[in-house]
Amino acid sequence: MSEILLKTPSPLSRSTLVAGFGSLHGADTLGWQVLDGLAETPIAEVTLRKYRHPSAVVGELAAFDRVIFVDALRSREHPLGTVVVLKAEDLPASNGVLSSHAQGLNDAIALASVLGVLPAQAQVLGCNVLGREEEPVSASTVSELVQRVLSCFD
């Protein structure tokens, strides 16, 4: 199973998807931890889903008007531990070598864009973990990201 559904509005509703990516290891737990934090706060018309791999979200994006991607990021442009907020189209492109083994969020966003299923409102929220991928992200960073996602609905 590639995704874990936390909560969803009615099936006829076109609204917002908050997609958290991760696994149970190190900094890669970030997206899932943020979604666990969001699940504790009712947000109208929002679907929260955990994914193990970014490619799993592409087929579902056409059902939403807006998407917020949450993931641990590796960036040479931001200091370690920095919370990063980007428009999806501003996420740097991959090296151009597409492989199902090395595909990241940037590749999934590029594919969704080419297929015409990327919602017009698409953001990426994450934390730079470059060099510390094996270590869990701090609870304060998770909390900050939960608040940053919630602020998107003010």
Side-chain angles (χ1 to χ4, degrees):
M1 186 169 156
S2 63
E3 68 177 73
I4 301 164
L5 178 63
L6 297 178
K7 64 182 181 179
T8 186
S10 76
L12 298 177
S13 175
R14 291 181 51 88
S15 59
T16 300
L17 170 66
V18 180
F21 301 97
S23 71
L24 298 174
H25 306 287
D28 204 30
T29 62
L30 179 65
W32 289 4
Q33 288 183 321
V34 170
L35 265 68
D36 288 343
L38 291 168
E40 297 172 3
T41 304
I43 311 170
E45 301 301 318
V46 173
T47 299
L48 303 175
R49 287 195 179 142
K50 294 179 179 178
Y51 297 90
R52 293 182 195 274
H53 196 277
S55 63
V57 74
V58 174
E60 300 179 357
L61 291 174
F64 296 94
D65 294 318
R66 178 181 187 197
V67 62
I68 298 172
F69 302 107
V70 182
D71 200 2
L73 307 171
R74 290 184 293 188
S75 172
R76 298 192 189 288
E77 298 175 13
H78 301 90
L80 175 68
T82 301
V83 169
V84 178
V85 179
L86 302 167
K87 292 180 182 176
E89 65 265 21
D90 293 337
L91 193 65
S94 71
N95 61 10
V97 179
L98 289 178
S99 163
S100 61
H101 299 288
Q103 189 181 44
L105 179 57
N106 52 349
D107 295 317
I109 289 171
L111 178 60
S113 181
V114 168
L115 293 174
V117 297
L118 184 67
Q121 297 181 54
Q123 290 180 282
V124 177
L125 280 75
C127 176
N128 182 24
V129 299
L130 182 63
R132 299 268 174 94
E133 292 89 347
E134 300 300 320
E135 300 175 21
V137 175
S138 71
S140 64
T141 299
V142 173
S143 179
E144 180 179 348
L145 276 165
V146 168
Q147 294 307 312
R148 296 291 284 269
V149 172
L150 290 173
S151 73
C152 293
F153 300 99
D154 291 340

